[in-house]
Amino acid sequence: MLRLFDDGNHKVIVYRDLTPKGAVQSNQAIIVEGETGMIIDPGGRVTFTPLFSKISKELPASKFRYILLTHQDPDVVGAIASWKVINPDIKILIPKVWYRFLPHMLPSSGDLKETVIPVEDEGMELQLGDIVLKLIPSHFLHSPGNFSLYDPVSKILFSGDVGASLLPPDQDYDFAENFEEHVKYMEEFHKRYMASSKACKAWVERVRDLDIEAIVPQHGAIMKGKEIVNAFLEWLYNLECGVDLL
Ligand code: FE
């Protein structure tokens, strides 16, 4: 468990070690703001039980107001039915293009509008307690409907699969220290999974003016500090990937 920010009222916690062997390692995160909170990419069935027990120590699970699903992959949405069962009032945010697919995962398909907030293509601002979070489009990185989340209090950008690294299990580390060393664990994944250079450039242009202290991707190590954040943005801006290489 990594407590990236905690001022007593606002907390950001990332869980990096809940994925069992054999499943792609995935990070889960929570933002707690006073008496409310949000779960970001909770992962699939394999992470549900440990994550539920861990987050309950920070805030009762019934008090979490939102779950953000940055896109539709199994390692993001796989346990959504269980989260809904333990907290029937929680609102699920999902890219609009994936909205109609979600009933396949939910305990009952009635009242989708009561349960799910489809995030429009242009993104949105989201009130959580006293603060306003930003949902930033990251379409085609890698999914056709995909969002990043920016928390202006901790200055953390939750980037989904953007900036993901697939680290060898025996060399896993929580924070990437040296970009030149780290990039080899990102390169193959981004070249294959990210749609195109045009999509990468569009995302970098949307986020580069934010005040970012850390990037928390859905897989692999966290990039903390302006130096590595800027090195990553520069690398991604110039990357050829996806259909560029077809
Ligand atoms: Fe994915």
Side-chain angles (χ1 to χ4, degrees), residues 64-101:
F64 282 85
R65 175 111 178 88
Y66 299 109
I67 292 186
L68 171 64
L69 307 174
T70 59
H71 63 297
Q72 83 296 352
D73 275 354
D75 57 331
V76 172
V77 309
I80 199 64
S82 303
W83 289 106
K84 212 47 209 165
V85 169
I86 58 123
N87 181 349
D89 296 328
I90 206 161
K91 301 275 187 226
I92 302 165
L93 293 144
I94 190 163
K96 191 183 174 189
V97 297
W98 297 115
Y99 176 67
R100 292 175 302 145
F101 293 70

PDB file of all heavy atoms in Angstrom, residues 64-101:
ATOM      1  N   PHE A  64     -18.105   5.238  -0.010  1.00  0.00           N
ATOM      2  CA  PHE A  64     -17.525   5.611  -1.304  1.00  0.00           C
ATOM      3  C   PHE A  64     -18.662   6.000  -2.258  1.00  0.00           C
ATOM      4  O   PHE A  64     -19.634   5.283  -2.394  1.00  0.00           O
ATOM      5  CB  PHE A  64     -16.684   4.463  -1.882  1.00  0.00           C
ATOM      6  CG  PHE A  64     -15.329   4.359  -1.237  1.00  0.00           C
ATOM      7  CD1 PHE A  64     -15.166   3.649  -0.049  1.00  0.00           C
ATOM      8  CD2 PHE A  64     -14.231   4.989  -1.791  1.00  0.00           C
ATOM      9  CE1 PHE A  64     -13.921   3.565   0.563  1.00  0.00           C
ATOM     10  CE2 PHE A  64     -12.980   4.918  -1.178  1.00  0.00           C
ATOM     11  CZ  PHE A  64     -12.831   4.199   0.001  1.00  0.00           C
ATOM     12  N   ARG A  65     -18.483   7.149  -2.901  1.00  0.00           N
ATOM     13  CA  ARG A  65     -19.566   7.691  -3.725  1.00  0.00           C
ATOM     14  C   ARG A  65     -19.456   7.247  -5.183  1.00  0.00           C
ATOM     15  O   ARG A  65     -20.453   7.053  -5.856  1.00  0.00           O
ATOM     16  CB  ARG A  65     -19.495   9.221  -3.633  1.00  0.00           C
ATOM     17  CG  ARG A  65     -20.432   9.981  -4.499  1.00  0.00           C
ATOM     18  CD  ARG A  65     -21.491  10.681  -3.673  1.00  0.00           C
ATOM     19  NE  ARG A  65     -22.397  11.485  -4.498  1.00  0.00           N
ATOM     20  CZ  ARG A  65     -23.500  10.999  -5.059  1.00  0.00           C
ATOM     21  NH1 ARG A  65     -23.841   9.738  -4.917  1.00  0.00           N
ATOM     22  NH2 ARG A  65     -24.276  11.793  -5.789  1.00  0.00           N
ATOM     23  N   TYR A  66     -18.220   7.120  -5.669  1.00  0.00           N
ATOM     24  CA  TYR A  66     -18.019   6.810  -7.089  1.00  0.00           C
ATOM     25  C   TYR A  66     -17.003   5.684  -7.294  1.00  0.00           C
ATOM     26  O   TYR A  66     -16.058   5.549  -6.508  1.00  0.00           O
ATOM     27  CB  TYR A  66     -17.459   8.018  -7.854  1.00  0.00           C
ATOM     28  CG  TYR A  66     -18.333   9.227  -7.858  1.00  0.00           C
ATOM     29  CD1 TYR A  66     -17.978  10.371  -7.132  1.00  0.00           C
ATOM     30  CD2 TYR A  66     -19.511   9.250  -8.607  1.00  0.00           C
ATOM     31  CE1 TYR A  66     -18.786  11.500  -7.148  1.00  0.00           C
ATOM     32  CE2 TYR A  66     -20.318  10.375  -8.624  1.00  0.00           C
ATOM     33  CZ  TYR A  66     -19.955  11.495  -7.888  1.00  0.00           C
ATOM     34  OH  TYR A  66     -20.744  12.611  -7.896  1.00  0.00           O
ATOM     35  N   ILE A  67     -17.204   4.968  -8.391  1.00  0.00           N
ATOM     36  CA  ILE A  67     -16.158   4.099  -8.952  1.00  0.00           C
ATOM     37  C   ILE A  67     -15.884   4.615 -10.358  1.00  0.00           C
ATOM     38  O   ILE A  67     -16.827   4.782 -11.143  1.00  0.00           O
ATOM     39  CB  ILE A  67     -16.617   2.634  -9.065  1.00  0.00           C
ATOM     40  CG1 ILE A  67     -16.788   2.008  -7.694  1.00  0.00           C
ATOM     41  CG2 ILE A  67     -15.633   1.821  -9.915  1.00  0.00           C
ATOM     42  CD1 ILE A  67     -17.088   0.524  -7.740  1.00  0.00           C
ATOM     43  N   LEU A  68     -14.631   4.884 -10.661  1.00  0.00           N
ATOM     44  CA  LEU A  68     -14.288   5.254 -12.031  1.00  0.00           C
ATOM     45  C   LEU A  68     -13.739   4.032 -12.759  1.00  0.00           C
ATOM     46  O   LEU A  68     -12.790   3.392 -12.286  1.00  0.00           O
ATOM     47  CB  LEU A  68     -13.231   6.368 -12.051  1.00  0.00           C
ATOM     48  CG  LEU A  68     -12.641   6.665 -13.442  1.00  0.00           C
ATOM     49  CD1 LEU A  68     -13.706   7.206 -14.402  1.00  0.00           C
ATOM     50  CD2 LEU A  68     -11.467   7.637 -13.346  1.00  0.00           C
ATOM     51  N   LEU A  69     -14.344   3.732 -13.907  1.00  0.00           N
ATOM     52  CA  LEU A  69     -13.807   2.707 -14.804  1.00  0.00           C
ATOM     53  C   LEU A  69     -13.226   3.483 -15.988  1.00  0.00           C
ATOM     54  O   LEU A  69     -13.978   4.057 -16.783  1.00  0.00           O
ATOM     55  CB  LEU A  69     -14.919   1.758 -15.252  1.00  0.00           C
ATOM     56  CG  LEU A  69     -15.743   1.116 -14.114  1.00  0.00           C
ATOM     57  CD1 LEU A  69     -16.916   0.316 -14.684  1.00  0.00           C
ATOM     58  CD2 LEU A  69     -14.867   0.222 -13.232  1.00  0.00           C
ATOM     59  N   THR A  70     -11.904   3.539 -16.073  1.00  0.00           N
ATOM     60  CA  THR A  70     -11.308   4.375 -17.129  1.00  0.00           C
ATOM     61  C   THR A  70     -11.587   3.813 -18.520  1.00  0.00           C
ATOM     62  O   THR A  70     -11.582   4.540 -19.497  1.00  0.00           O
ATOM     63  CB  THR A  70      -9.782   4.526 -16.951  1.00  0.00           C
ATOM     64  OG1 THR A  70      -9.167   3.229 -16.985  1.00  0.00           O
ATOM     65  CG2 THR A  70      -9.441   5.219 -15.638  1.00  0.00           C
ATOM     66  N   HIS A  71     -11.797   2.507 -18.588  1.00  0.00           N
ATOM     67  CA  HIS A  71     -12.189   1.860 -19.844  1.00  0.00           C
ATOM     68  C   HIS A  71     -12.794   0.505 -19.515  1.00  0.00           C
ATOM     69  O   HIS A  71     -13.120   0.256 -18.357  1.00  0.00           O
ATOM     70  CB  HIS A  71     -11.020   1.802 -20.830  1.00  0.00           C
ATOM     71  CG  HIS A  71      -9.838   0.995 -20.375  1.00  0.00           C
ATOM     72  ND1 HIS A  71      -9.089   1.332 -19.274  1.00  0.00           N
ATOM     73  CD2 HIS A  71      -9.280  -0.142 -20.868  1.00  0.00           C
ATOM     74  CE1 HIS A  71      -8.117   0.438 -19.117  1.00  0.00           C
ATOM     75  NE2 HIS A  71      -8.213  -0.465 -20.070  1.00  0.00           N
ATOM     76  N   GLN A  72     -12.928  -0.360 -20.517  1.00  0.00           N
ATOM     77  CA  GLN A  72     -13.794  -1.532 -20.384  1.00  0.00           C
ATOM     78  C   GLN A  72     -13.079  -2.857 -20.130  1.00  0.00           C
ATOM     79  O   GLN A  72     -13.700  -3.900 -20.134  1.00  0.00           O
ATOM     80  CB  GLN A  72     -14.630  -1.658 -21.666  1.00  0.00           C
ATOM     81  CG  GLN A  72     -13.950  -2.360 -22.845  1.00  0.00           C
ATOM     82  CD  GLN A  72     -12.722  -1.649 -23.413  1.00  0.00           C
ATOM     83  OE1 GLN A  72     -12.410  -0.518 -23.034  1.00  0.00           O
ATOM     84  NE2 GLN A  72     -12.030  -2.310 -24.306  1.00  0.00           N
ATOM     85  N   ASP A  73     -11.766  -2.840 -19.917  1.00  0.00           N
ATOM     86  CA  ASP A  73     -11.023  -4.098 -19.837  1.00  0.00           C
ATOM     87  C   ASP A  73     -11.378  -4.912 -18.587  1.00  0.00           C
ATOM     88  O   ASP A  73     -11.772  -4.350 -17.569  1.00  0.00           O
ATOM     89  CB  ASP A  73      -9.522  -3.816 -19.842  1.00  0.00           C
ATOM     90  CG  ASP A  73      -8.977  -3.663 -21.260  1.00  0.00           C
ATOM     91  OD1 ASP A  73      -9.745  -3.883 -22.211  1.00  0.00           O
ATOM     92  OD2 ASP A  73      -7.784  -3.324 -21.410  1.00  0.00           O
ATOM     93  N   PRO A  74     -11.202  -6.250 -18.642  1.00  0.00           N
ATOM     94  CA  PRO A  74     -11.535  -7.117 -17.509  1.00  0.00           C
ATOM     95  C   PRO A  74     -10.788  -6.758 -16.228  1.00  0.00           C
ATOM     96  O   PRO A  74     -11.339  -6.904 -15.123  1.00  0.00           O
ATOM     97  CB  PRO A  74     -11.119  -8.525 -17.965  1.00  0.00           C
ATOM     98  CG  PRO A  74     -10.806  -8.431 -19.405  1.00  0.00           C
ATOM     99  CD  PRO A  74     -10.695  -7.000 -19.804  1.00  0.00           C
ATOM    100  N   ASP A  75      -9.535  -6.275 -16.373  1.00  0.00           N
ATOM    101  CA  ASP A  75      -8.749  -5.920 -15.176  1.00  0.00           C
ATOM    102  C   ASP A  75      -9.181  -4.568 -14.604  1.00  0.00           C
ATOM    103  O   ASP A  75      -8.590  -4.088 -13.630  1.00  0.00           O
ATOM    104  CB  ASP A  75      -7.246  -5.909 -15.511  1.00  0.00           C
ATOM    105  CG  ASP A  75      -6.919  -4.966 -16.645  1.00  0.00           C
ATOM    106  OD1 ASP A  75      -7.787  -4.753 -17.516  1.00  0.00           O
ATOM    107  OD2 ASP A  75      -5.817  -4.407 -16.665  1.00  0.00           O
ATOM    108  N   VAL A  76     -10.210  -3.976 -15.208  1.00  0.00           N
ATOM    109  CA  VAL A  76     -10.790  -2.732 -14.700  1.00  0.00           C
ATOM    110  C   VAL A  76     -12.213  -2.998 -14.168  1.00  0.00           C
ATOM    111  O   VAL A  76     -12.551  -2.615 -13.055  1.00  0.00           O
ATOM    112  CB  VAL A  76     -10.841  -1.659 -15.822  1.00  0.00           C
ATOM    113  CG1 VAL A  76     -11.615  -0.427 -15.376  1.00  0.00           C
ATOM    114  CG2 VAL A  76      -9.432  -1.283 -16.261  1.00  0.00           C
ATOM    115  N   VAL A  77     -13.020  -3.683 -14.987  1.00  0.00           N
ATOM    116  CA  VAL A  77     -14.464  -3.786 -14.698  1.00  0.00           C
ATOM    117  C   VAL A  77     -14.894  -5.133 -14.108  1.00  0.00           C
ATOM    118  O   VAL A  77     -16.050  -5.291 -13.720  1.00  0.00           O
ATOM    119  CB  VAL A  77     -15.323  -3.527 -15.965  1.00  0.00           C
ATOM    120  CG1 VAL A  77     -14.917  -2.235 -16.641  1.00  0.00           C
ATOM    121  CG2 VAL A  77     -15.243  -4.678 -16.960  1.00  0.00           C
ATOM    122  N   GLY A  78     -13.978  -6.105 -14.057  1.00  0.00           N
ATOM    123  CA  GLY A  78     -14.359  -7.492 -13.777  1.00  0.00           C
ATOM    124  C   GLY A  78     -15.148  -7.730 -12.499  1.00  0.00           C
ATOM    125  O   GLY A  78     -15.910  -8.699 -12.413  1.00  0.00           O
ATOM    126  N   ALA A  79     -14.994  -6.873 -11.488  1.00  0.00           N
ATOM    127  CA  ALA A  79     -15.688  -7.124 -10.214  1.00  0.00           C
ATOM    128  C   ALA A  79     -16.784  -6.096  -9.954  1.00  0.00           C
ATOM    129  O   ALA A  79     -17.254  -5.946  -8.823  1.00  0.00           O
ATOM    130  CB  ALA A  79     -14.681  -7.093  -9.066  1.00  0.00           C
ATOM    131  N   ILE A  80     -17.230  -5.425 -11.006  1.00  0.00           N
ATOM    132  CA  ILE A  80     -18.157  -4.312 -10.785  1.00  0.00           C
ATOM    133  C   ILE A  80     -19.457  -4.785 -10.109  1.00  0.00           C
ATOM    134  O   ILE A  80     -20.036  -4.071  -9.281  1.00  0.00           O
ATOM    135  CB  ILE A  80     -18.400  -3.526 -12.109  1.00  0.00           C
ATOM    136  CG1 ILE A  80     -18.947  -2.143 -11.811  1.00  0.00           C
ATOM    137  CG2 ILE A  80     -19.264  -4.264 -13.098  1.00  0.00           C
ATOM    138  CD1 ILE A  80     -18.025  -1.245 -11.046  1.00  0.00           C
ATOM    139  N   ALA A  81     -19.876  -6.005 -10.433  1.00  0.00           N
ATOM    140  CA  ALA A  81     -21.113  -6.521  -9.813  1.00  0.00           C
ATOM    141  C   ALA A  81     -20.940  -6.656  -8.300  1.00  0.00           C
ATOM    142  O   ALA A  81     -21.839  -6.306  -7.531  1.00  0.00           O
ATOM    143  CB  ALA A  81     -21.475  -7.876 -10.429  1.00  0.00           C
ATOM    144  N   SER A  82     -19.788  -7.113  -7.867  1.00  0.00           N
ATOM    145  CA  SER A  82     -19.557  -7.285  -6.427  1.00  0.00           C
ATOM    146  C   SER A  82     -19.527  -5.930  -5.707  1.00  0.00           C
ATOM    147  O   SER A  82     -20.046  -5.788  -4.602  1.00  0.00           O
ATOM    148  CB  SER A  82     -18.233  -8.011  -6.180  1.00  0.00           C
ATOM    149  OG  SER A  82     -18.239  -9.243  -6.843  1.00  0.00           O
ATOM    150  N   TRP A  83     -18.915  -4.926  -6.333  1.00  0.00           N
ATOM    151  CA  TRP A  83     -18.885  -3.590  -5.714  1.00  0.00           C
ATOM    152  C   TRP A  83     -20.289  -3.040  -5.565  1.00  0.00           C
ATOM    153  O   TRP A  83     -20.632  -2.415  -4.561  1.00  0.00           O
ATOM    154  CB  TRP A  83     -18.023  -2.623  -6.543  1.00  0.00           C
ATOM    155  CG  TRP A  83     -16.563  -2.962  -6.445  1.00  0.00           C
ATOM    156  CD1 TRP A  83     -15.800  -3.554  -7.403  1.00  0.00           C
ATOM    157  CD2 TRP A  83     -15.706  -2.782  -5.296  1.00  0.00           C
ATOM    158  NE1 TRP A  83     -14.514  -3.748  -6.929  1.00  0.00           N
ATOM    159  CE2 TRP A  83     -14.435  -3.288  -5.645  1.00  0.00           C
ATOM    160  CE3 TRP A  83     -15.895  -2.246  -4.017  1.00  0.00           C
ATOM    161  CZ2 TRP A  83     -13.355  -3.267  -4.767  1.00  0.00           C
ATOM    162  CZ3 TRP A  83     -14.819  -2.230  -3.134  1.00  0.00           C
ATOM    163  CH2 TRP A  83     -13.564  -2.736  -3.518  1.00  0.00           C
ATOM    164  N   LYS A  84     -21.112  -3.314  -6.553  1.00  0.00           N
ATOM    165  CA  LYS A  84     -22.502  -2.849  -6.531  1.00  0.00           C
ATOM    166  C   LYS A  84     -23.291  -3.556  -5.422  1.00  0.00           C
ATOM    167  O   LYS A  84     -24.160  -2.956  -4.796  1.00  0.00           O
ATOM    168  CB  LYS A  84     -23.082  -3.167  -7.909  1.00  0.00           C
ATOM    169  CG  LYS A  84     -24.119  -2.262  -8.456  1.00  0.00           C
ATOM    170  CD  LYS A  84     -23.857  -0.822  -8.368  1.00  0.00           C
ATOM    171  CE  LYS A  84     -25.190  -0.099  -8.287  1.00  0.00           C
ATOM    172  NZ  LYS A  84     -25.101   1.274  -7.855  1.00  0.00           N
ATOM    173  N   VAL A  85     -22.977  -4.804  -5.185  1.00  0.00           N
ATOM    174  CA  VAL A  85     -23.676  -5.558  -4.131  1.00  0.00           C
ATOM    175  C   VAL A  85     -23.300  -5.007  -2.748  1.00  0.00           C
ATOM    176  O   VAL A  85     -24.165  -4.789  -1.902  1.00  0.00           O
ATOM    177  CB  VAL A  85     -23.372  -7.077  -4.232  1.00  0.00           C
ATOM    178  CG1 VAL A  85     -23.861  -7.825  -2.991  1.00  0.00           C
ATOM    179  CG2 VAL A  85     -24.003  -7.662  -5.491  1.00  0.00           C
ATOM    180  N   ILE A  86     -22.014  -4.728  -2.530  1.00  0.00           N
ATOM    181  CA  ILE A  86     -21.644  -4.261  -1.190  1.00  0.00           C
ATOM    182  C   ILE A  86     -21.970  -2.781  -0.985  1.00  0.00           C
ATOM    183  O   ILE A  86     -22.061  -2.317   0.142  1.00  0.00           O
ATOM    184  CB  ILE A  86     -20.149  -4.541  -0.850  1.00  0.00           C
ATOM    185  CG1 ILE A  86     -19.233  -3.878  -1.877  1.00  0.00           C
ATOM    186  CG2 ILE A  86     -19.853  -6.018  -0.752  1.00  0.00           C
ATOM    187  CD1 ILE A  86     -18.275  -2.951  -1.223  1.00  0.00           C
ATOM    188  N   ASN A  87     -22.146  -2.034  -2.068  1.00  0.00           N
ATOM    189  CA  ASN A  87     -22.533  -0.624  -1.950  1.00  0.00           C
ATOM    190  C   ASN A  87     -23.514  -0.284  -3.072  1.00  0.00           C
ATOM    191  O   ASN A  87     -23.128   0.252  -4.109  1.00  0.00           O
ATOM    192  CB  ASN A  87     -21.290   0.273  -2.020  1.00  0.00           C
ATOM    193  CG  ASN A  87     -21.626   1.742  -1.884  1.00  0.00           C
ATOM    194  OD1 ASN A  87     -22.788   2.130  -1.937  1.00  0.00           O
ATOM    195  ND2 ASN A  87     -20.605   2.570  -1.703  1.00  0.00           N
ATOM    196  N   PRO A  88     -24.800  -0.591  -2.845  1.00  0.00           N
ATOM    197  CA  PRO A  88     -25.797  -0.405  -3.920  1.00  0.00           C
ATOM    198  C   PRO A  88     -25.939   1.046  -4.375  1.00  0.00           C
ATOM    199  O   PRO A  88     -26.411   1.300  -5.480  1.00  0.00           O
ATOM    200  CB  PRO A  88     -27.108  -0.896  -3.282  1.00  0.00           C
ATOM    201  CG  PRO A  88     -26.694  -1.718  -2.103  1.00  0.00           C
ATOM    202  CD  PRO A  88     -25.387  -1.169  -1.622  1.00  0.00           C
ATOM    203  N   ASP A  89     -25.526   2.016  -3.544  1.00  0.00           N
ATOM    204  CA  ASP A  89     -25.708   3.422  -3.919  1.00  0.00           C
ATOM    205  C   ASP A  89     -24.527   3.999  -4.697  1.00  0.00           C
ATOM    206  O   ASP A  89     -24.567   5.147  -5.127  1.00  0.00           O
ATOM    207  CB  ASP A  89     -25.904   4.282  -2.664  1.00  0.00           C
ATOM    208  CG  ASP A  89     -27.180   3.902  -1.945  1.00  0.00           C
ATOM    209  OD1 ASP A  89     -28.134   3.498  -2.645  1.00  0.00           O
ATOM    210  OD2 ASP A  89     -27.202   3.965  -0.701  1.00  0.00           O
ATOM    211  N   ILE A  90     -23.464   3.241  -4.826  1.00  0.00           N
ATOM    212  CA  ILE A  90     -22.279   3.779  -5.492  1.00  0.00           C
ATOM    213  C   ILE A  90     -22.595   4.063  -6.965  1.00  0.00           C
ATOM    214  O   ILE A  90     -23.369   3.337  -7.599  1.00  0.00           O
ATOM    215  CB  ILE A  90     -21.068   2.828  -5.325  1.00  0.00           C
ATOM    216  CG1 ILE A  90     -19.758   3.612  -5.426  1.00  0.00           C
ATOM    217  CG2 ILE A  90     -21.117   1.673  -6.319  1.00  0.00           C
ATOM    218  CD1 ILE A  90     -18.561   2.881  -4.825  1.00  0.00           C
ATOM    219  N   LYS A  91     -22.042   5.183  -7.467  1.00  0.00           N
ATOM    220  CA  LYS A  91     -22.272   5.546  -8.876  1.00  0.00           C
ATOM    221  C   LYS A  91     -21.052   5.138  -9.689  1.00  0.00           C
ATOM    222  O   LYS A  91     -19.910   5.426  -9.297  1.00  0.00           O
ATOM    223  CB  LYS A  91     -22.452   7.053  -9.023  1.00  0.00           C
ATOM    224  CG  LYS A  91     -23.607   7.600  -8.221  1.00  0.00           C
ATOM    225  CD  LYS A  91     -24.903   7.461  -8.997  1.00  0.00           C
ATOM    226  CE  LYS A  91     -26.051   8.150  -8.273  1.00  0.00           C
ATOM    227  NZ  LYS A  91     -27.246   7.325  -8.210  1.00  0.00           N
ATOM    228  N   ILE A  92     -21.320   4.506 -10.806  1.00  0.00           N
ATOM    229  CA  ILE A  92     -20.235   4.032 -11.667  1.00  0.00           C
ATOM    230  C   ILE A  92     -20.055   5.018 -12.815  1.00  0.00           C
ATOM    231  O   ILE A  92     -21.015   5.324 -13.530  1.00  0.00           O
ATOM    232  CB  ILE A  92     -20.579   2.638 -12.238  1.00  0.00           C
ATOM    233  CG1 ILE A  92     -20.828   1.645 -11.098  1.00  0.00           C
ATOM    234  CG2 ILE A  92     -19.500   2.149 -13.185  1.00  0.00           C
ATOM    235  CD1 ILE A  92     -21.516   0.361 -11.546  1.00  0.00           C
ATOM    236  N   LEU A  93     -18.837   5.508 -12.974  1.00  0.00           N
ATOM    237  CA  LEU A  93     -18.522   6.386 -14.109  1.00  0.00           C
ATOM    238  C   LEU A  93     -17.803   5.557 -15.164  1.00  0.00           C
ATOM    239  O   LEU A  93     -16.806   4.885 -14.855  1.00  0.00           O
ATOM    240  CB  LEU A  93     -17.585   7.506 -13.653  1.00  0.00           C
ATOM    241  CG  LEU A  93     -18.189   8.514 -12.686  1.00  0.00           C
ATOM    242  CD1 LEU A  93     -17.142   8.962 -11.679  1.00  0.00           C
ATOM    243  CD2 LEU A  93     -18.757   9.706 -13.425  1.00  0.00           C
ATOM    244  N   ILE A  94     -18.301   5.613 -16.373  1.00  0.00           N
ATOM    245  CA  ILE A  94     -17.673   4.834 -17.456  1.00  0.00           C
ATOM    246  C   ILE A  94     -17.771   5.652 -18.750  1.00  0.00           C
ATOM    247  O   ILE A  94     -18.746   6.406 -18.933  1.00  0.00           O
ATOM    248  CB  ILE A  94     -18.351   3.436 -17.596  1.00  0.00           C
ATOM    249  CG1 ILE A  94     -17.542   2.538 -18.546  1.00  0.00           C
ATOM    250  CG2 ILE A  94     -19.812   3.542 -18.036  1.00  0.00           C
ATOM    251  CD1 ILE A  94     -17.880   1.052 -18.449  1.00  0.00           C
ATOM    252  N   PRO A  95     -16.764   5.553 -19.641  1.00  0.00           N
ATOM    253  CA  PRO A  95     -16.871   6.277 -20.916  1.00  0.00           C
ATOM    254  C   PRO A  95     -18.194   5.948 -21.613  1.00  0.00           C
ATOM    255  O   PRO A  95     -18.633   4.792 -21.605  1.00  0.00           O
ATOM    256  CB  PRO A  95     -15.686   5.753 -21.729  1.00  0.00           C
ATOM    257  CG  PRO A  95     -14.691   5.280 -20.705  1.00  0.00           C
ATOM    258  CD  PRO A  95     -15.510   4.796 -19.540  1.00  0.00           C
ATOM    259  N   LYS A  96     -18.787   6.976 -22.191  1.00  0.00           N
ATOM    260  CA  LYS A  96     -20.108   6.830 -22.795  1.00  0.00           C
ATOM    261  C   LYS A  96     -20.168   5.681 -23.814  1.00  0.00           C
ATOM    262  O   LYS A  96     -21.172   4.974 -23.895  1.00  0.00           O
ATOM    263  CB  LYS A  96     -20.489   8.153 -23.472  1.00  0.00           C
ATOM    264  CG  LYS A  96     -21.915   8.228 -23.906  1.00  0.00           C
ATOM    265  CD  LYS A  96     -22.181   9.536 -24.622  1.00  0.00           C
ATOM    266  CE  LYS A  96     -23.595   9.536 -25.181  1.00  0.00           C
ATOM    267  NZ  LYS A  96     -23.800  10.693 -26.053  1.00  0.00           N
ATOM    268  N   VAL A  97     -19.102   5.499 -24.572  1.00  0.00           N
ATOM    269  CA  VAL A  97     -19.142   4.451 -25.604  1.00  0.00           C
ATOM    270  C   VAL A  97     -19.226   3.044 -25.002  1.00  0.00           C
ATOM    271  O   VAL A  97     -19.541   2.084 -25.711  1.00  0.00           O
ATOM    272  CB  VAL A  97     -17.956   4.510 -26.605  1.00  0.00           C
ATOM    273  CG1 VAL A  97     -17.969   5.803 -27.390  1.00  0.00           C
ATOM    274  CG2 VAL A  97     -16.619   4.291 -25.939  1.00  0.00           C
ATOM    275  N   TRP A  98     -18.951   2.916 -23.706  1.00  0.00           N
ATOM    276  CA  TRP A  98     -19.035   1.600 -23.055  1.00  0.00           C
ATOM    277  C   TRP A  98     -20.267   1.432 -22.168  1.00  0.00           C
ATOM    278  O   TRP A  98     -20.471   0.377 -21.565  1.00  0.00           O
ATOM    279  CB  TRP A  98     -17.756   1.327 -22.237  1.00  0.00           C
ATOM    280  CG  TRP A  98     -16.553   1.265 -23.121  1.00  0.00           C
ATOM    281  CD1 TRP A  98     -15.494   2.114 -23.131  1.00  0.00           C
ATOM    282  CD2 TRP A  98     -16.308   0.309 -24.155  1.00  0.00           C
ATOM    283  NE1 TRP A  98     -14.606   1.759 -24.107  1.00  0.00           N
ATOM    284  CE2 TRP A  98     -15.079   0.662 -24.751  1.00  0.00           C
ATOM    285  CE3 TRP A  98     -17.012  -0.791 -24.653  1.00  0.00           C
ATOM    286  CZ2 TRP A  98     -14.538  -0.073 -25.818  1.00  0.00           C
ATOM    287  CZ3 TRP A  98     -16.465  -1.511 -25.705  1.00  0.00           C
ATOM    288  CH2 TRP A  98     -15.256  -1.145 -26.276  1.00  0.00           C
ATOM    289  N   TYR A  99     -21.104   2.458 -22.099  1.00  0.00           N
ATOM    290  CA  TYR A  99     -22.257   2.495 -21.192  1.00  0.00           C
ATOM    291  C   TYR A  99     -23.202   1.298 -21.407  1.00  0.00           C
ATOM    292  O   TYR A  99     -23.562   0.593 -20.473  1.00  0.00           O
ATOM    293  CB  TYR A  99     -22.965   3.835 -21.426  1.00  0.00           C
ATOM    294  CG  TYR A  99     -24.233   4.077 -20.673  1.00  0.00           C
ATOM    295  CD1 TYR A  99     -24.231   4.227 -19.295  1.00  0.00           C
ATOM    296  CD2 TYR A  99     -25.458   4.211 -21.356  1.00  0.00           C
ATOM    297  CE1 TYR A  99     -25.403   4.495 -18.607  1.00  0.00           C
ATOM    298  CE2 TYR A  99     -26.621   4.491 -20.673  1.00  0.00           C
ATOM    299  CZ  TYR A  99     -26.600   4.628 -19.306  1.00  0.00           C
ATOM    300  OH  TYR A  99     -27.757   4.893 -18.640  1.00  0.00           O
ATOM    301  N   ARG A 100     -23.547   1.045 -22.658  1.00  0.00           N
ATOM    302  CA  ARG A 100     -24.536  -0.009 -22.953  1.00  0.00           C
ATOM    303  C   ARG A 100     -23.982  -1.414 -22.737  1.00  0.00           C
ATOM    304  O   ARG A 100     -24.717  -2.378 -22.716  1.00  0.00           O
ATOM    305  CB  ARG A 100     -25.004   0.106 -24.414  1.00  0.00           C
ATOM    306  CG  ARG A 100     -25.826   1.337 -24.692  1.00  0.00           C
ATOM    307  CD  ARG A 100     -26.148   1.436 -26.156  1.00  0.00           C
ATOM    308  NE  ARG A 100     -24.925   1.465 -26.961  1.00  0.00           N
ATOM    309  CZ  ARG A 100     -24.793   0.908 -28.152  1.00  0.00           C
ATOM    310  NH1 ARG A 100     -25.796   0.252 -28.699  1.00  0.00           N
ATOM    311  NH2 ARG A 100     -23.659   0.992 -28.816  1.00  0.00           N
ATOM    312  N   PHE A 101     -22.689  -1.524 -22.622  1.00  0.00           N
ATOM    313  CA  PHE A 101     -22.070  -2.837 -22.446  1.00  0.00           C
ATOM    314  C   PHE A 101     -22.121  -3.279 -20.978  1.00  0.00           C
ATOM    315  O   PHE A 101     -22.014  -4.457 -20.674  1.00  0.00           O
ATOM    316  CB  PHE A 101     -20.618  -2.823 -22.918  1.00  0.00           C
ATOM    317  CG  PHE A 101     -20.468  -2.625 -24.408  1.00  0.00           C
ATOM    318  CD1 PHE A 101     -20.755  -1.398 -25.004  1.00  0.00           C
ATOM    319  CD2 PHE A 101     -20.043  -3.664 -25.223  1.00  0.00           C
ATOM    320  CE1 PHE A 101     -20.622  -1.214 -26.369  1.00  0.00           C
ATOM    321  CE2 PHE A 101     -19.903  -3.483 -26.593  1.00  0.00           C
ATOM    322  CZ  PHE A 101     -20.196  -2.257 -27.167  1.00  0.00           C
TER     323      PHE A 101
END
